Amino acid sequence: MIDNLDYPVQLLQPDGTRVCRPEYDRLIADLGPTEYISLYRDMVISRRIDTAAVALQRQGEIGLWAPLLGQEAAQVGSARALKHDDFAFVSYREHAVAYCRGVPPEVLTHMWRGCSHSAWDPDQFNVTNPAIVVGSQGLHATGYALGVHLDGAEIATIAYFGDGATSQGDIAEALGFAASFRAGVVFFCQNNQWAISEPVSLQSRTPISHRADGYGIPSFRVDGNDVLAVLAVTRAALAHAREGSGPTFIEAITCRMGPHTTSDDPTRYRSDTDMAEWRNRDPIERMRVFLERRGILDEAAGTEISIAAEEVAVRLRRATLETPDPPPSALFEHVYTGPHPLIDHEREQHREYLASFDDEEVMS
């Protein structure tokens, strides 16, 4: 395990300049032009998914959306560090993580349109559906990590949450439990500077990663807008978990460039001046410049990626608009893993309730 540093790990500066850090460079030594392009492609497509979903919400086609604008490197870099058998527990903003785990873009809006309780089968992609209760996924990830360890599985678990969630009791309990039982979970905090309308300076007077120190959990601080640094640090943390060495905490320093959700108006609590510096740290632009300087990304490749992103956006929009409303009985599906007498009773009551409306219509 690499020793913690008091300043964020960075391998790509905001202007695209590569930084030499041997202790972290070795963790991504396997990357070549193909892998670099793939990381860039995932970030571009993830941003396009996000902008398409925001547009759908503004047009009244989905009820709500939590934009990830500005956090593409943190999500793609960490998700791409996961192995197939690893399991990711996400909040409501990790759309890029879901995409990188293989979740079809067409289903990403199903829950937000109100067409399903969950958009995909977590066991199929090894990533959970969005957790709406802030911080709850930290407990779920910790329990899962301990369970698979007792089963003898050599895998890692990762829990995603924002800086605001670190003030929630669920995250505190998860950290304490994981430390006590050496659960193989990586706590991945995207410090995006704002817990809804409150700045991170109000959440914590010290770096968020220092909270892990109090539990005896090793921690990293990483430039969350640097996809290479995020990939390297997350790989180290996941290896630490797989080998049975216990939990790790990662603070990825990034910025939520858009609203907390589409029901939020960020202009009420932050100014354009606040965002100016962060726009200069754009994670996608940083990677683009790096690739162009190395002759890896040319105009043709850039155009192909842009076209691919647009195609994904078209698929997402079409699938959202064409998603049928579920039957009322779907309310009782996927509540428990198997049959349950309480659910059977409630389903029958609901059926009788709906049938009573049919009878009234006949009598009238």
Side-chain angles (χ1 to χ4, degrees), residues 31 61 78 94 109 125 151 200 233 273 315 332 334:
L31 301 187
E61 298 296 344
S78 58
E94 278 73 50
T109 57
F125 303 104
D151 288 342
V200 69
V233 165
T273 303
R315 286 163 44 198
F332 303 97
H334 310 299

Side-chain angles (χ1 to χ4, degrees), residues 155-235:
I155 70 168
T157 301
I158 187 168
Y160 289 90
F161 50 91
D163 50 287
T166 61
S167 295
Q168 292 287 337
D170 284 5
I171 294 298
E173 292 175 14
L175 291 169
F177 194 95
S180 296
F181 293 93
R182 298 177 65 82
V185 58
V186 175
F187 294 97
F188 193 91
C189 174
Q190 293 175 88
N191 179 355
N192 64 24
Q193 310 304 311
W194 295 93
I196 305 183
S197 60
E198 302 297 346
V200 69
S201 59
L202 187 62
Q203 291 286 317
S204 178
R205 299 301 182 185
T206 63
I208 294 290
S209 59
H210 287 187
R211 296 190 174 188
D213 298 341
Y215 295 89
I217 296 177
S219 62
F220 289 98
R221 299 188 78 213
V222 63
D223 183 342
N225 285 12
D226 176 353
V227 69
L228 300 185
V230 172
L231 176 62
V233 165
T234 310
R235 279 181 168 181

Side-chain angles (χ1 to χ4, degrees), residues 28-221:
I28 57 170
D30 60 310
L31 301 187
T34 300
E35 290 75 22
Y36 287 141
I37 283 288
S38 182
L39 288 168
Y40 176 73
R41 181 189 184 94
D42 282 352
M43 287 196 291
V44 171
I45 291 178
S46 295
R47 179 170 291 186
R48 189 65 189 92
I49 287 172
D50 191 57
T51 57
V54 170
L56 284 166
Q57 193 283 327
R58 298 307 190 203
Q59 295 162 4
E61 298 296 344
I62 59 177
L64 191 72
W65 185 257
L68 62 79
L69 181 65
Q71 299 180 220
E72 295 87 357
Q75 294 191 23
V76 170
S78 58
R80 290 288 297 274
L82 295 166
K83 292 184 178 180
H84 175 73
D85 290 339
D86 295 335
F87 214 106
F89 289 75
V90 299
S91 76
Y92 40 72
R93 200 182 305 279
E94 278 73 50
H95 318 300
V97 174
Y99 172 74
C100 288
R101 294 301 279 167
V103 175
E106 290 88 343
V107 305
L108 289 175
T109 57
H110 280 194
M111 188 182 78
W112 305 104
R113 189 171 169 84
C115 295
S116 67
H117 292 301
S118 56
W120 60 85
D121 180 358
D123 285 335
Q124 182 179 358
F125 303 104
N126 280 15
V127 58
T128 62
N129 280 268
I132 303 302
V133 178
V134 176
S136 63
Q137 68 275 19
L139 291 169
H140 304 157
T142 301
Y144 184 89
L146 180 61
V148 294
H149 174 71
L150 294 175
D151 288 342
E154 297 180 356
I155 70 168
T157 301
I158 187 168
Y160 289 90
F161 50 91
D163 50 287
T166 61
S167 295
Q168 292 287 337
D170 284 5
I171 294 298
E173 292 175 14
L175 291 169
F177 194 95
S180 296
F181 293 93
R182 298 177 65 82
V185 58
V186 175
F187 294 97
F188 193 91
C189 174
Q190 293 175 88
N191 179 355
N192 64 24
Q193 310 304 311
W194 295 93
I196 305 183
S197 60
E198 302 297 346
V200 69
S201 59
L202 187 62
Q203 291 286 317
S204 178
R205 299 301 182 185
T206 63
I208 294 290
S209 59
H210 287 187
R211 296 190 174 188
D213 298 341
Y215 295 89
I217 296 177
S219 62
F220 289 98
R221 299 188 78 213

Side-chain angles (χ1 to χ4, degrees), residues 232-277:
V233 165
T234 310
R235 279 181 168 181
L238 292 169
H240 184 79
R242 293 190 198 101
E243 67 188 18
S245 298
T248 307
F249 190 101
I250 297 174
E251 178 190 0
I253 303 171
T254 181
C255 183
R256 167 172 58 80
M257 298 298 293
H260 175 69
T261 69
T262 47
S263 65
D264 170 43
D265 178 8
T267 63
R268 297 181 62 184
Y269 54 83
R270 71 186 187 193
S271 68
D272 189 64
T273 303
D274 294 330
M275 295 294 99
E277 183 178 355

